[in-house]
Amino acid sequence: MIDPVLLFGLALVAGAPLALSPLPTALAAALAAAALGRRAGRVALAAAAVALVVGGLRARALLDDAGDLYGSAAALLHPPARCEVTGAVISSPVVVGAAQRTAGEEPTARIDVELSSGTCGGRALPGPLRARLHGAPLDLARGDRLEVVVDLAPIHLFRNEGLRDATAAIARSGIVASGSIVDARRTAQGRSIGAAVDRARAAVRGRIEATFHPEAAALGRALVLGETDLAPEDQDAFRESGLAHLLAVSGTHLILAVAGFAAVARALLVRVDPIAARWDAGRITAALCVPAAWLYADFAGGGGSAMRAAAMLSCAMCARLAGLRPAGVRSFALSLAGAAAVDPLVACDLSFGLSAAATAGLLWLQRPLAALLVPGEEGRGDERADGGPPGARSSSSSSPRALARKVLAPLATTLAAMFGCAPLLLMNGETFPLLGVAANVVAAPLGELAALPFCLAHAVLSWAPPVERGCALVGSGALLAVRAVARASADTGVVLRLPEPSPAQLAALAAAIALAWAAERRARRLAALATGAAAWLLLEIVAVRAGAPRGVLRVSVLDVGQGDAILIDLPEGGAMLVDAGGFVGSPVDPGARVIRPLLRSRRRARLDAVVLSHPHPDHFGGLPAVVEGVEVGELWDTGQGEAEGAGPVYAKLLSDLRRRGVPVVRPASLCGRPRTLSGATVEVLAPCPDLHPDRGANDNSFVLRITHGAHAALLVGDAEHEAEEALVARYGAALRADLLKVGHHGSRTSTGPALLAAVDPAVAAVTCGVRNRYGHPSPEVLSRLSARGVAVARMDRGGALVWETDGERVRWSRPGEPPSPAPARRGAAEGTAAPGR
C-alpha cells in the first residue's frame, strides 16, 4: 500500500501547479488517482483530492492578492521615487557582488525591509510595503528598525506569454519594490533569535573573508551561508557541469552539521552520570537536534532546500524521541505536507523542488540503480539475505564484486539524485550536463568529505586561531579543487540542449510515474514509462507546432522593461527578432532573462533575421545573449553604430556575427524592395534610401511594415516627429496598419496626430517599463490614442502583447488572458478588405 501521508503531501504540493496550469495538472491528478486507486484506498484518495483542491485554491488566492499588491505599488511608485521612510529589517543581510567588487571597495548587503511610514516622491506611504534594498551596511540584523532614504521602484516582473508567472515570487515574499539605499540610520536593534543568528552569520562571514584563500572565499560563503555571489564564470561553470548542488545548502549539509552536534551532545551527556543513569542520552540528543536543525537551516540562509531538510530531519528525530524507528518515506512525506501547509506556493521554490526531487530519487531509484549496476546488490539491505546480522561481510570482501560495489555504488547514488532532478534542471536551464555524472563522482567526495566538514568546523573555531586557519586551508583547497573540476567539465562543452518541458509534458511525466508506481509487475512498469515517453514526444510535437504556427503572422511585443524587443513568428514557420532590450549598468540581461527562455519555450533554434532598429543600449543590450544561443540568418543594421561608435557591446555583437558568417545588411540593400520572408511581406520604410546624416539615431530607426493578407503591423523603433513627418509625406495612407508599435516608448516627441491619422491603428503597443524615470508614456500620446479610440497595450501595465492574424481575422491577448478578437478599424488601405482591430 502507498503511504497515505505521502499521497496527501504530494497533493498539497501540487496545489501550486494546479493554480498555475489548471488543465494539465487536473488531468495528471485524475490519471494518477485512477492508477493508484487499488494501492491507496478510497479514503486516502479522497483526502488527497481535497488537499489538491484546497492547495490550489489557496495558491490562486495568494497569486490574486499578489497581483493587487503589485498594482498598488506600481501606482504609488510611478515614476520611481526617492523615499524617506521608516521600516524594519525582515530578512538576513546577504552579501552580493563581492566576487566582482574591485579592491578597496567596501562590501555591502542586500536586505528585505517592511516599510511602515514615510513619503515617496512627496506622496505619503499608504500602508506597509515590502522592498528589497541594496547597499545596506553589513552589521544589520532582522528586527532592526531603520530610517532610510532610498531610491525606490516597483520590481520588474517581465510578464510574457509562455514564461512562468512572475507574481509567484511576490505572493511568497510580499516584496513588490526594490531600490538602492542613499542613507540609512538604525534607530533600534533587533532582539530576536533571528537577530542573534544574523550576527553569528556576520561573524562567520568575516572569518571566512579573513582566513580563506581569496579565490575560495566566495565559494566558502556559498557553502556555509548560502550567499551565491560567485564570479560569473564560476556560476556558469558550476551550472553547466551539474555541480551547483555542491555549493547549495542541502540536506547533506544539514545532516552533517546536526550529526556533528548530536555526536558532541551525546558524548557530553553520557559522561554526566546522573543523566546517563536515569535517561536515554540518545533520546535527549534527538530532542536537542530538532531546534538545532532549524537554527542551522536559518543560519545557512533559510532556503527551501535547507528548510525541507530540517523538517525531514525533525520528523526522524521525533520518531527517535518517541522510541520509534525513523521511516525515510514517512519523514519525507511529512516534510512535503508541512512545507505546503505553511506555503501553498512552495513548489515554485527551485531549491525546495530540487531538494525534494533529489530525495525522491534517492528513496526510490538508488536501490534499483545499484542492483542494475552492481550484480547482487538487490539482496543487500538492513539485513543480509541469508539471515546474518546487519552489516556482516563475507570473506570475499576483497573480491572483484566487492571492488565493483565500492566504485559503482556511489555512481548509483549520483544517478538517482540526478534523475530525480532532471525535469527541474531542464525547466531552469538550457543545457543538461552529459558529463555531470562523471564530474559528480570526482567532485562529490571533495565537496562532501573535505570541503563541507572543514568549512563547517571552521565556522565554530574562531576561539582556536591555529586550528581555524588549518580548517580554512584545507577547506579552501577542497573548494578550489571542486571549482577546477567544474571548470574542466564545463570547458568540454559536452552538454545536451533540450527544450523546456511544457506544463502538459510535466503532467504526462507525473501520470507515467504514478502508473509505474502502481504497477505490481516489472513489465507493466516498463509499459507505463514507455507510454509516458510516447506522450512526452507527442506533446513535444504539439509544442513545436504551437511555437511556429503555420499560416499565421504573430507579433509578440515583449515585456523587457524600458526597451524594445519584438519577436515575430512568420506564416511559413520562420521567425525574426526586432531589438532585444537592455539596461545600462544593470546586472539584468533581458536577452538571457526573457528572450532566450521564450525562444526555448517556442522551440526556436533559428531566427531568419535579427533587426537592430538603431544603436541604443535599450535596443541592442540583450542581443549578444540572444544570438549566442541561436542560428541567425541575417542581421539588419542601419550602420549608424559603426559610423558613430556605439560602444564595445555593439562592436562585439557585429564582430561575433561576422565571424560566424552572418551577413550584415544595411538600408541600401533593404529599401524600396518589399521582401517576402517566410510567407510575410516585410517593407523597410526608413531610413531610406540610406541614413540621414543630419538626423540622430532615433530618427534613423528602421521602420518596418509587416503584412500578411489584409492585415499589417507597423514597427517604428524610436522614430520621433521629424522621421514621422517624412514617413507621412512619403507614404501617406500606405502606412495603414492594425498594430502600431508606438515610437520612442510613448515619448511626447513621437506618435504625432499626422502619423496616427495615416496609420489608423486598432491597437498600439507601448514599450515602457515600470522602472522608467522618463515619464513614459506621455499623457499627450495617451490622450491622442484615446481620442482615436485606439486600444493601448502598455508593457508596464499587464505585460507583453501578442497580436496575430491569419490574413483575414485579427486577435490579441495579454499574459494570463484568453485571446480576444479585435474590433474593426474605421479605414483600410486602398484595395484591401477593412482589417480588423
Side-chain angles (χ1 to χ4, degrees):
M1 295 295 291
I2 293 171
D3 189 326
V5 179
L6 177 61
L7 203 60
F8 184 84
L10 289 171
L12 268 183
V13 171
L18 181 66
L20 294 168
S21 302
L23 184 58
T25 306
L27 288 175
L31 288 172
L36 299 174
R38 293 178 58 187
R39 296 188 59 192
R42 293 182 179 178
V43 174
L45 285 177
V50 171
L52 177 65
V53 173
V54 170
L57 291 174
R58 291 180 66 205
R60 186 68 260 167
L62 284 176
L63 291 170
D64 292 341
D65 290 345
D68 295 340
L69 187 65
Y70 181 76
S72 300
L76 173 69
L77 300 173
H78 180 76
R82 173 155 292 187
C83 301
E84 298 178 2
V85 288
T86 62
V89 180
I90 59 174
S91 72
S92 298
V94 176
V95 173
V96 291
Q100 295 82 42
R101 191 173 295 111
T102 58
E105 263 191 286
E106 287 295 323
T108 58
R110 181 194 72 208
I111 56 173
D112 293 340
V113 177
E114 183 165 280
L115 306 176
S116 54
S117 63
T119 60
C120 286
R123 292 164 289 178
L125 197 67
L129 182 147
R130 290 191 171 190
R132 179 156 293 168
L133 307 184
H134 296 261
L138 290 178
D139 61 349
L140 294 178
R142 279 170 285 181
D144 286 358
R145 300 288 306 178
L146 304 175
E147 290 181 354
V148 293
V149 178
V150 58
D151 291 324
L152 206 59
I155 62 172
H156 211 305
L157 297 183
F158 299 111
R159 290 172 287 190
N160 293 277
E161 196 68 45
L163 301 183
R164 271 164 274 169
D165 191 339
T167 58
I170 295 177
R172 300 188 66 240
S173 68
I175 304 296
V176 292
S178 66
S180 298
I181 293 176
V182 177
D183 185 44
R185 185 172 71 90
R186 180 165 50 197
T187 58
Q189 197 171 59
R191 303 292 182 186
S192 65
I193 294 176
V197 169
D198 289 345
R199 294 185 182 104
R201 282 171 54 86
V204 170
R205 182 189 299 119
R207 296 310 303 161
I208 289 175
E209 294 290 346
T211 58
F212 270 57
H213 188 282
E215 293 188 16
L219 302 172
R221 285 188 289 102
L223 188 68
V224 177
L225 301 175
E227 295 180 347
T228 54
D229 62 322
L230 306 183
E233 59 271 20
D234 286 341
Q235 289 180 337
D236 294 341
F238 276 94
R239 184 185 66 251
E240 293 171 8
S241 64
L243 297 179
H245 66 94
L246 292 180
L247 295 183
V249 178
S250 65
T252 302
H253 297 58
L254 191 80
I255 290 170
L256 186 58
V258 175
F261 167 79
V264 172
R266 194 173 189 280
L268 293 174
L269 288 172
V270 296
R271 284 166 172 76
V272 180
D273 291 337
I275 295 177
R278 297 184 59 184
W279 291 290
D280 182 350
R283 289 191 180 184
I284 297 175
T285 303
L288 294 174
C289 282
V290 174
W294 291 102
L295 280 172
Y296 176 73
D298 188 40
F299 172 84
S305 61
M307 290 301 183
R308 193 209 61 78
M312 188 171 175
L313 186 60
S314 296
C315 293
M317 292 298 102
C318 287
R320 174 70 179 86
L321 186 61
L324 303 174
R325 183 179 179 182
V329 172
R330 177 59 61 85
S331 298
F332 176 62
L334 289 171
S335 73
L336 294 181
V342 173
D343 179 3
L345 290 165
V346 72
C348 298
D349 185 329
L350 178 59
S351 65
F352 173 88
L354 289 173
S355 172
T359 302
L362 293 173
L363 286 173
W364 283 282
L365 296 178
Q366 195 274 339
R367 184 169 292 181
L369 287 172
L372 183 66
L373 294 173
V374 186
E377 188 71 8
E378 66 275 3
R380 294 170 54 82
D382 291 329
E383 295 186 355
R384 291 176 58 207
D386 61 2
R393 296 289 183 269
S394 69
S395 60
S396 61
S397 59
S398 60
S399 66
R401 177 177 294 179
L403 182 61
R405 182 179 297 120
K406 290 180 180 179
V407 174
L408 296 177
L411 179 60
T413 301
T414 299
L415 285 172
M418 288 191 69
F419 284 159
C421 294
L424 290 176
L425 291 174
L426 289 176
M427 286 178 63
N428 292 277
E430 297 181 5
T431 60
F432 188 82
L434 291 178
L435 293 181
V437 175
N440 270 276
V441 169
V442 175
L446 290 170
E448 296 179 357
L449 301 181
L452 181 56
F454 280 96
C455 289
L456 291 178
H458 172 274
V460 295
L461 287 171
S462 60
W463 54 271
V467 183
E468 181 195 40
R469 287 195 296 271
C471 287
L473 179 64
V474 176
S476 294
L479 286 170
L480 293 175
V482 170
R483 186 184 71 170
V485 174
R487 288 182 173 182
S489 176
D491 288 344
T492 64
V494 182
V495 295
L496 185 64
R497 294 189 179 274
L498 294 172
E500 179 180 355
S502 66
Q505 286 176 311
L506 293 174
L509 175 63
I513 291 173
L515 288 168
W517 193 10
E520 297 177 358
R521 296 180 182 178
R522 184 177 181 181
R524 291 186 177 181
R525 289 175 185 167
L526 292 176
L529 294 175
T531 302
W536 183 288
L537 292 175
L538 180 61
L539 290 168
E540 181 63 23
I541 294 172
V542 172
V544 169
R545 291 184 175 179
R550 299 288 174 148
V552 171
L553 173 66
R554 180 170 64 189
V555 179
S556 300
V557 185
L558 304 180
D559 176 10
V560 292
Q562 184 69 9
D564 276 20
I566 304 166
L567 179 61
I568 303 164
D569 297 302
L570 301 167
E572 293 180 359
M576 62 189 297
L577 176 70
V578 180
D579 295 330
F583 307 106
V584 177
S586 170
V588 179
D589 183 343
R593 175 77 174 270
V594 175
I595 303 172
R596 272 176 59 167
L598 185 61
L599 291 173
R600 186 168 173 246
S601 73
R602 292 189 181 181
R603 279 55 178 171
R604 290 284 189 189
R606 173 183 168 82
L607 293 168
D608 295 85
V610 171
V611 182
L612 174 55
S613 66
H614 63 291
H616 279 171
D618 58 334
H619 292 254
F620 69 70
L623 280 177
V626 174
V627 301
E628 179 186 344
V630 297
E631 179 186 352
V632 177
E634 297 178 334
L635 173 70
W636 296 6
D637 177 47
T638 63
Q640 192 167 21
E642 283 191 311
E644 299 182 3
V649 175
Y650 169 83
K652 188 175 185 303
L653 170 69
L654 263 64
S655 174
D656 289 346
L657 288 176
R658 283 171 171 152
R659 188 174 61 252
R660 289 165 53 181
V662 176
V664 178
V665 187
R666 295 287 160 73
S669 302
L670 296 168
C671 291
R673 309 175 191 174
R675 298 180 60 172
T676 300
L677 192 63
S678 194
T681 300
V682 181
E683 301 170 82
V684 175
L685 306 182
C688 290
D690 211 330
L691 288 172
H692 296 272
D694 57 337
R695 295 181 187 173
N698 284 350
D699 277 327
N700 270 308
S701 293
F702 271 128
V703 175
L704 308 180
R705 186 172 186 268
I706 306 173
T707 307
H708 178 49
H711 301 282
L714 185 68
L715 314 179
V716 299
D718 276 0
E720 300 183 270
H721 287 333
E722 186 176 359
E724 289 181 0
E725 291 168 2
L727 284 169
V728 172
R730 182 169 184 175
Y731 298 103
L735 292 172
R736 291 193 186 276
D738 303 89
L739 169 67
L740 171 66
K741 201 291 297 183
V742 168
H744 201 193
H745 319 290
S747 166
R748 60 183 178 81
T749 60
S750 301
T751 322
L755 180 76
L756 277 178
V759 178
D760 189 25
V763 182
V766 185
T767 54
C768 57
V770 293
R771 300 177 71 90
N772 88 83
R773 299 179 180 275
Y774 311 106
H776 297 159
S778 162
E780 296 98 312
V781 170
L782 294 177
S783 177
R784 287 196 288 268
L785 291 168
S786 176
R788 294 193 64 86
V790 180
V792 176
R794 293 172 52 170
M795 302 304 103
D796 64 336
R797 304 279 178 90
L801 168 72
V802 177
W803 177 92
E804 62 182 23
T805 177
D806 60 2
E808 297 180 358
R809 294 172 298 276
V810 170
R811 63 178 188 172
W812 57 287
S813 64
R814 310 295 298 276
E817 300 175 1
S820 303
R825 61 179 171 84
R826 293 184 298 277
E830 185 177 351
T832 66
R837 273 191 182 181

